[in-house]
Structures are given as C-alpha cells and as structure tokens.
Amino acid sequence: MSVMNEARPIRPDIGAKRLDADTLKANFSDLHPPLEAHEAVVEADRCYFCYDAPCMTACPTSIDIPLFIREIQAGNPTGAAKTILSSNILGGMCARVCPTETLCEEVCVREIAEGKPVKIGLLQRFATDILMDTGEHPFTRAAPTGKRIAVVGAGPAGLSCAHRLAMHGHDVTLYDAREKPGGLNEYGIAAYKTTQGFAQREVDFVLGIGGISLETGKALGRDIHLADLRRDFDAVFLGLGLAGVNALSTEGESQAGSADAVAWIAELRQTTDLASLPIGRRVVVIGGGMTAIDAAVQAKGLGAQEVTIAYRRGQEAMNASRYEQEIAQTRGIAIRCNLQPKRILAEGGHVTGIELERTRTEDGRLVGTGETVTLEADQVFKAIGQSFLPDGIDGEGGGIQLELGRIKVDADRRTSLPGVWAGGDCISGGDDLTVVAVEDGKVAAEAIHRTFVGAKA
C-alpha cells in the first residue's frame, strides 16, 4: 500500500463495471460449494459418532450432530434434515454462515487428533438443502390454541420464535421494519456466503408451517407501539437486532466516500446487477470483525485493486476467526494491525485517504504511540461495531430495563416488562451470531408456550 503525498492532488477513483460479468460471477460464487451425494457419504463415514459428543455441546442450538451424520451415512438425508431442523429451524443458513471452525468443528475429535475435522457444516447443508428442495415442510402444526403472539423483527431470532410458537398451535403476527424479512440473513451477510436468494427461500420455508402472518414495513415506535401490542396480543417477542452503527468520531468522517460497512453490505445484497455498484480503486476498511472481512472481500470482488483492513489491536484480538482472516488474505487483502483512525483526509468534499496512529498495549490498555501512517483511499468503510437503539421500548412504565446498552433478559429471555420476551443481538450477554439468535428465539417461544399451558392448567 503506497503512502500518500499530501502535496499532490488526488482525485477519487470510484467507478462501476470494473470487472466483466464472468469474473464478477466467479468472485461472488458460493464460498463453499455443496457436497455431492457420494462426497457426503464419504465424509459422514469419517465421524466417530462419539458418545456425549463435544460437537453437540459446542452447538448453541444443541443439534444432535452424531445422529444426523449417521442418518446421512445410512442414506436418509431427509431424516437428517429433520433432526437438524428440530433443534435449529434455520439450519440451512447456519450451515452456510456459522463459524463452525470455532464451534462444532473446533472440538471435533478428528480435529484434535488429526487437524482435520469432520465437515459438519457442509454435511448439515447437504441434508437441509435436500429437504428444502422437496418443497415440503417437515413439521405439522398443533391444533389452534387461540393464543396470539406479536413477534417484532423478522430476523433469525424472530423467525425462530415465530416458527416454534406456530408449531405449538399459536397464531403469530410477525412484524419487520424493512420491506423484506430475513434481517441479518437478508441484509447483513456477504453475498458469496448465501447465494441464489437463499435467505428468502428459507423465510418462505419457515412460514410454510402456517399460522404466521407477516407484515413488513412496520417499525416499532413508528408504525406499531409496544403498549398496543401488549394490549392486543397474549405475548410479545422482540427480535430487534442492532440498528445503530458506531461512529469513528474522527475528523472527516462525514466526507463523501466514507460509509458504514453495514449499510454498504445491505446495498450490495439488494443490488440485482453487481457490475452497476461503484467501488473505489483503493479501499480501506476499519475494524476487525466479520463485517470488516465481508466488506473487504466484497470490495475486492467488485474490482477494487487495493483493499486494506486496518485494526487497532493485534491480529490475535480480531473478532473475525482465523479462517475468515485467511479468506481475506488469500484474496489479496492486506490486514494491518495496531493502527487506529486519527482523521479521514479529503479534497473537494471527497475522501482521498486516512491517517492512522500506531498503537501498542501497555498494562492491558491500548495506547497511541504518536507515530502516524497515511494510506491513500477512495473509499473508507467503517466496521467498528453496531449498537442497540431502544426506539419504541423506552417510553412505557419506565421502559424495558437495559444492561450494558442492550435489553436485559433472564434465562427464558423474559424482559423486565410483563408479557414481553426478547432475543438475538438486541439482548445483553449473547454472542452476535445467527445460531445464537435462533436459540434465543426457540428458548423464548418455549417459555411463552409454558405460560399458556400453565394458565390453562
């Protein structure tokens, strides 16, 4: 990466159609091509079918991994899919985006013994894809109970909660502020991880249980209100996600060419023609998590020639897994650590570069060294985390209690407000992972159902 000479005027170089259609298609093709049937059986044969399997313990949704792999081995992928989906109704998406390298596969006995785990994620995708391709829903809805639940947020937590409640025979109205359901799965995950419109296919699959009414374009606090939902429904579940984006709070942040990585990824995901999406020739991404990796890899995939990820701490502290970091590096992306943003440089109202300060750790604290590095950039994407916005939940009876800036819940995902549960990224104490959000929704749904059963008894 070249160092910018501030005395030389630099014109921003941002343009569309940097790559031809075939190259774009290859760059955004499936990150993990699915297993063929023979490959799946061979891979399933590698499983030891451990008693008290560590992979199952490592899965946030407690999928019976040895059982579903044995079912694949026995030639019953549909049965395997039912095993998976009974624990995780979004098992198809999780098979694509879960960091299995730090969850189930990390603790696989073969990984520990040989450094080569069973490909649990790919086997999970193999099974769930087969079942979903049949167009049939694997579960039957219980007899209607007459109970009505409002689920706010049609992301992973909300979809999981709505499906489990519908299975129990309850009627669910599912609201979402955006025009399309799916939440993070639709708007926030890299396009090369979820190809061919899979997020919407999975939403349709989830809704196939019946008993779920979907209303999009309805935002809490604007179009719907918590007090009304509590009055009109027997229970409410909030799967609100994280709508706020952390700011750099540096000079020049508002200049053209400086953008939130989350919003840019959402725009990319909704673009029908990738060639039409402008990208800078030189791109710098600030951050060290999955969003930073996704933004950098996709910028490179669109034709950016120089892409740099700048992270304020050491590489070992990055939230993105080592595997995800390697994906970026093998695609020609530079990861530069111990650099924190100092100011964004601009000419004529547009970004031309970014000045960063070198950092080091002293007594466990990150401190600046005073030494600066300046990188040329046509675009700077900020991926330094998201925050919860309590819109719509902070006005009633003192509002819902928060903890560390997010909704406080108990083990059943019950909030401080009677009749209201919550789950997913909006709650305190969880990991910001799709699979964790799915578990939150499931746990809350079962807790809500128990309150109805108890009331009936």
Side-chain angles (χ1 to χ4, degrees):
M1 174 66 70
S2 56
V3 177
M4 189 178 74
N5 180 353
E6 293 189 53
R8 174 171 58 85
I10 297 176
R11 302 179 65 181
D13 187 353
I14 297 178
K17 299 183 178 179
R18 292 195 180 277
L19 302 174
D20 61 72
D22 289 341
T23 303
L24 279 173
K25 183 178 180 180
N27 288 349
F28 286 86
S29 61
D30 213 325
L31 178 62
H32 300 296
L35 297 174
E36 299 291 340
H38 175 70
E39 293 175 314
V41 172
V42 170
E43 190 62 29
D45 278 338
R46 297 186 61 238
C47 182
Y48 288 138
F49 309 113
C50 304
Y51 176 76
D52 196 21
C55 57
M56 185 174 172
T57 303
C59 175
T61 56
S62 301
I63 293 172
D64 193 333
I65 295 170
L67 175 58
F68 93 69
I69 294 179
R70 186 179 291 277
E71 288 169 322
I72 291 174
Q73 184 194 47
N76 183 17
T78 300
K82 291 180 179 179
T83 297
I84 295 162
L85 297 169
S86 64
S87 294
N88 181 345
I89 194 60
L90 271 65
M93 182 61 78
C94 289
R96 289 162 165 79
V97 305
C98 253
T100 54
E101 66 276 3
T102 60
L103 293 173
C104 54
E105 292 179 12
E106 182 179 56
V107 298
C108 175
V109 173
R110 281 197 175 272
E111 163 65 19
I112 295 170
E114 306 165 9
K116 187 178 180 182
V118 175
K119 297 175 181 177
I120 298 170
L122 285 174
L123 288 172
Q124 180 168 312
R125 175 176 174 176
F126 171 76
T128 53
D129 281 1
I130 286 177
L131 187 144
M132 287 182 64
D133 286 344
T134 68
E136 299 177 2
H137 199 83
F139 305 114
T140 302
R141 189 175 181 229
T145 64
K147 296 295 184 180
R148 301 173 64 245
I149 301 95
V151 174
V152 184
L159 288 168
S160 173
C161 184
H163 183 273
R164 185 57 64 112
L165 289 167
M167 275 185 62
H168 285 306
H170 311 307
D171 292 323
V172 179
T173 300
L174 180 60
Y175 298 98
D176 199 86
R178 295 183 186 258
E179 293 305 314
K180 293 171 69 175
L184 178 70
N185 291 353
E186 173 60 37
Y187 292 95
I189 292 172
Y192 56 84
K193 294 179 180 178
T194 170
T195 59
Q196 300 178 327
F198 182 79
Q200 290 307 303
R201 284 180 53 215
E202 189 169 54
V203 169
D204 293 341
F205 170 75
V206 170
L207 299 183
I209 186 69
I212 303 173
S213 174
L214 175 64
E215 295 190 24
T216 57
K218 300 287 183 68
L220 189 67
R222 184 192 71 194
D223 309 292
I224 54 175
H225 302 278
L226 189 54
D228 297 335
L229 297 178
R230 294 181 68 208
R231 180 194 64 214
D232 298 337
F233 291 86
D234 297 294
V236 177
F237 174 81
L238 303 176
L240 302 174
L242 301 177
V245 179
N246 295 335
L248 290 176
S249 300
T250 59
E251 178 186 343
E253 187 173 3
S254 62
Q255 301 292 331
S258 172
D260 296 326
V262 172
W264 182 74
I265 291 172
E267 180 185 1
L268 186 152
R269 282 293 307 273
Q270 301 308 305
T271 299
T272 56
D273 178 15
L274 289 173
S276 68
L277 195 64
I279 192 69
R281 194 174 298 277
R282 299 155 301 191
V283 174
V284 175
V285 181
I286 307 299
M290 293 299 305
T291 300
I293 297 290
D294 285 353
V297 172
Q298 291 181 113
K300 190 73 172 179
L302 288 172
Q305 290 184 357
E306 297 179 2
V307 181
T308 302
I309 294 174
Y311 179 55
R312 62 192 180 123
R313 299 185 183 275
Q315 192 165 355
E316 73 286 347
M318 292 179 70
N319 286 332
S321 69
R322 177 64 66 177
Y323 172 74
E324 292 285 342
Q325 294 174 41
E326 290 173 357
I327 289 175
Q329 290 171 317
T330 56
R331 299 194 183 197
I333 294 162
I335 297 178
R336 302 186 61 171
C337 296
N338 292 109
L339 292 173
Q340 64 184 5
K342 189 173 179 65
R343 64 183 176 123
I344 293 177
L345 308 174
E347 292 180 9
H350 200 289
V351 168
T352 56
I354 182 168
E355 183 180 315
L356 304 117
E357 182 182 16
R358 294 193 186 278
T359 65
R360 65 171 177 263
T361 302
E362 292 182 358
D363 299 324
R365 295 186 307 109
L366 191 72
V367 298
T369 65
E371 181 184 358
T372 61
V373 174
T374 304
L375 305 178
E376 295 179 353
D378 304 298
Q379 286 177 303
V380 173
F381 292 122
K382 298 166 287 185
I384 56 172
Q386 294 174 264
S387 58
F388 174 63
L389 299 180
D391 297 343
I393 70 166
D394 54 358
E396 179 178 332
I400 292 177
Q401 186 176 352
L402 302 182
E403 181 180 63
L404 300 176
R406 303 192 191 187
I407 298 174
K408 183 178 181 179
V409 296
D410 64 13
D412 286 334
R413 310 323 189 254
R414 189 190 306 264
T415 74
S416 61
L417 204 58
V420 180
W421 284 255
D425 294 349
C426 68
I427 67 171
S428 178
D431 294 325
D432 297 342
L433 295 173
T434 297
V435 67
V436 172
V438 172
E439 179 68 3
D440 287 339
K442 182 177 70 177
V443 168
E446 293 294 352
I448 293 169
H449 176 64
R450 285 196 300 271
T451 65
F452 297 152
V453 173
K456 185 180 296 185

